[in-house]
Amino acid sequence: MALVRAYEGWKEAEKEGSAYEYCWRNFLSAQTLQAIHSLRKQFNFILKDAGLIEEDTNNHNKLSHNQSLVRAIICSGLYPGIASVVHRETSMSFKTMDDGQVSLYANSVNARYETIPYPWLVFGEKVKVNSVFIRDSTGVSDSVLILFGGALACGAQAGHLKMLNGYIDFFMDHNLAECFLKLNEELDKLIQKKLQDPKLDILKEGKYLMLAVEDLVSGDQCEGKFVFGRESRKPKVTNDNDRFTKDGANPKSLLQTLLMRAGHSPPKYKTKHLKTNEFRALVEFKGMQFVGKPKRNKQQAERDAAIEALAWLTHTSDNNQNEHDDSQPDVTDNMLKLLGKRRRSKQRRPG
């Protein structure tokens, strides 16, 4: 996006006869901008020769102010150069399918920001020194990547879409997933029609399709509606969370309280950062380990691991759990088995 804006500013300055001053004031290379201009002319010729655009390009540039659509075009051109943005509480990191952890090039415009309000970056170049750096990056939303990225495939569950052989996962309402698949299919058909019949008025033929795409990508505010690696909702997860988190209860504190009152050391947590940009936590105590489900951040992952442990300790397993049971967690069955020896040893000391 920075290159797009820099070029537009340079063209405006050129009309006013101040192109040199514009480059000097903004630390830009006039030779590089001229090279970009030459490439644009070549691409324009190729598009006209293929019949995708007419001689008068004014109609095709009337949406150039729409930043979301410009990002979509950039995404289409740079894919599969895609990096996921991993947001943390005080920092962020970036990962690619081929290189894992990568960094932004120091001179990159995006490197100046403390946070990037997009879940993905498409990039034009990778540089390897001691580690891998990405350059010429642009943030894109989930909907932009779904519609203008690579081929989509359906996952095993309803509402699960995959890209890059399953490296990228999208989980959403199944109706919305079907909508994306249909829009993707219709976009491909429209382009194929235009290639087969250069005289086809693509603006008229695809008017409502493009309006739908425009509204969809412009309305995606990156608020987590499509979460990378999100699991579909399962009733048992909701029930466990309701049972151990109601009235503001903290499952980690509850687990620690149960163990400390029984005379044991507090639980220890180990968290792993998964390739799906999620976190999975393991809680360990008394030689036993319980693993939670992948979550968006470390805190949620540890809470889920604590819930798994509490479910076992209080005997609220999937088989005998009552979803309408609002009683407080009780120390029964598995908890007594786990702590029985400790309690008997305490009882023998006074005698």
Side-chain angles (χ1 to χ4, degrees):
M1 288 301 297
L3 288 173
V4 172
R5 301 307 178 214
Y7 177 83
E8 291 175 346
W10 175 67
K11 291 300 292 182
E12 288 296 324
E14 192 176 46
K15 293 178 183 178
E16 300 171 359
S18 58
Y20 174 79
E21 290 80 2
Y22 175 83
C23 293
W24 182 83
R25 187 170 62 252
N26 294 284
F27 305 96
L28 297 172
S29 168
Q31 290 82 1
T32 300
L33 288 168
Q34 189 61 51
I36 292 174
H37 180 67
S38 298
L39 284 173
R40 284 172 64 100
K41 290 175 64 176
Q42 292 180 37
F43 292 144
N44 187 55
F45 174 80
I46 293 171
L47 290 172
K48 287 180 180 178
D49 190 56
L52 290 175
I53 60 175
E54 288 77 33
E55 292 296 327
D56 183 10
T57 59
N58 290 329
N59 287 333
H60 302 282
N61 287 326
K62 65 181 182 180
L63 294 177
S64 60
H65 66 280
N66 189 318
Q67 189 178 107
S68 298
L69 286 180
V70 175
R71 291 179 187 275
I73 300 304
I74 293 173
C75 175
S76 180
L78 296 181
Y79 187 90
I82 183 78
S84 58
V85 183
V86 184
H87 293 280
R88 297 189 175 91
E89 293 182 1
T90 58
S91 63
M92 61 181 175
S93 60
F94 311 93
K95 288 191 173 184
T96 67
M97 182 175 68
D98 297 327
D99 306 288
Q101 190 91 13
V102 297
S103 303
L104 291 178
Y105 195 69
N107 292 334
S108 172
V109 173
N110 282 330
R112 304 174 188 174
Y113 296 98
E114 294 183 359
T115 182
I116 295 175
Y118 291 93
W120 312 98
L121 287 178
V122 288
F123 57 88
E125 185 180 2
K126 289 191 294 186
V127 179
K128 186 170 184 179
V129 188
N130 295 327
S131 58
V132 178
F133 296 86
I134 58 176
R135 301 177 61 179
D136 304 330
S137 60
T138 296
V140 296
S141 64
D142 292 301
S143 55
V144 165
L145 182 57
I146 292 172
L147 290 175
F148 294 89
L152 285 173
C154 294
Q157 304 173 4
H160 178 199
L161 298 179
K162 301 188 297 181
M163 194 178 288
L164 286 178
N165 297 322
Y167 176 72
I168 298 176
D169 291 298
F170 298 98
F171 292 85
M172 64 196 79
D173 181 84
H174 70 279
N175 292 318
L176 186 58
E178 291 177 5
C179 176
F180 272 118
L181 287 170
K182 189 63 177 178
L183 283 174
N184 222 326
E185 180 183 344
E186 292 300 320
L187 281 172
D188 289 340
K189 286 182 179 179
L190 183 61
I191 295 174
Q192 289 296 326
K193 284 183 180 180
K194 183 62 176 176
L195 290 172
Q196 293 171 5
D197 181 11
K199 295 181 180 180
L200 178 73
D201 188 346
I202 197 170
L203 295 177
K204 182 178 179 180
E205 184 76 15
K207 176 181 178 181
Y208 296 107
L209 174 62
M210 293 311 302
L211 285 175
V213 171
E214 181 185 353
D215 287 342
L216 193 58
V217 299
S218 300
D220 189 347
Q221 301 300 317
C222 302
E223 296 174 344
K225 295 180 181 178
F226 311 101
V227 178
F228 183 76
R230 172 188 284 174
E231 290 193 356
S232 59
R233 294 180 180 178
K234 299 177 181 178
K236 65 178 183 180
V237 176
T238 304
N239 291 334
D240 279 347
N241 277 283
D242 288 343
R243 182 173 174 80
F244 299 114
T245 61
K246 63 181 180 178
D247 299 327
N250 186 330
K252 291 180 63 178
S253 299
L254 179 57
L255 177 62
Q256 180 169 322
T257 299
L258 289 175
L259 293 174
M260 295 290 285
R261 286 180 179 176
H264 293 283
S265 300
K268 296 180 180 180
Y269 295 87
K270 297 179 182 178
T271 308
K272 184 178 181 181
H273 195 180
L274 306 176
K275 292 182 178 180
T276 56
N277 296 329
E278 292 178 299
F279 295 84
R280 186 192 294 274
L282 176 150
V283 61
E284 182 177 7
F285 54 88
K286 195 64 178 175
M288 303 186 66
Q289 296 180 341
F290 297 87
V291 180
K293 301 175 182 63
K295 295 294 178 180
R296 295 180 60 183
N297 57 52
K298 182 178 179 182
Q299 183 179 9
Q300 291 179 0
E302 291 181 350
R303 284 170 61 90
D304 193 77
I307 289 173
E308 290 290 329
L310 285 168
W312 186 86
L313 286 173
T314 58
H315 210 263
T316 53
S317 64
D318 295 337
N319 295 328
N320 60 12
Q321 179 175 318
N322 183 355
E323 64 181 14
H324 302 295
D325 184 9
D326 292 329
S327 61
Q328 291 292 333
D330 187 21
V331 183
T332 57
D333 295 327
N334 291 331
M335 187 70 172
L336 291 175
K337 294 177 184 177
L338 179 67
L339 306 177
K341 294 183 179 179
R342 176 84 183 201
R343 289 183 175 179
R344 284 197 297 270
S345 63
K346 283 185 176 182
Q347 293 172 354
R348 283 195 295 267
R349 286 179 185 174

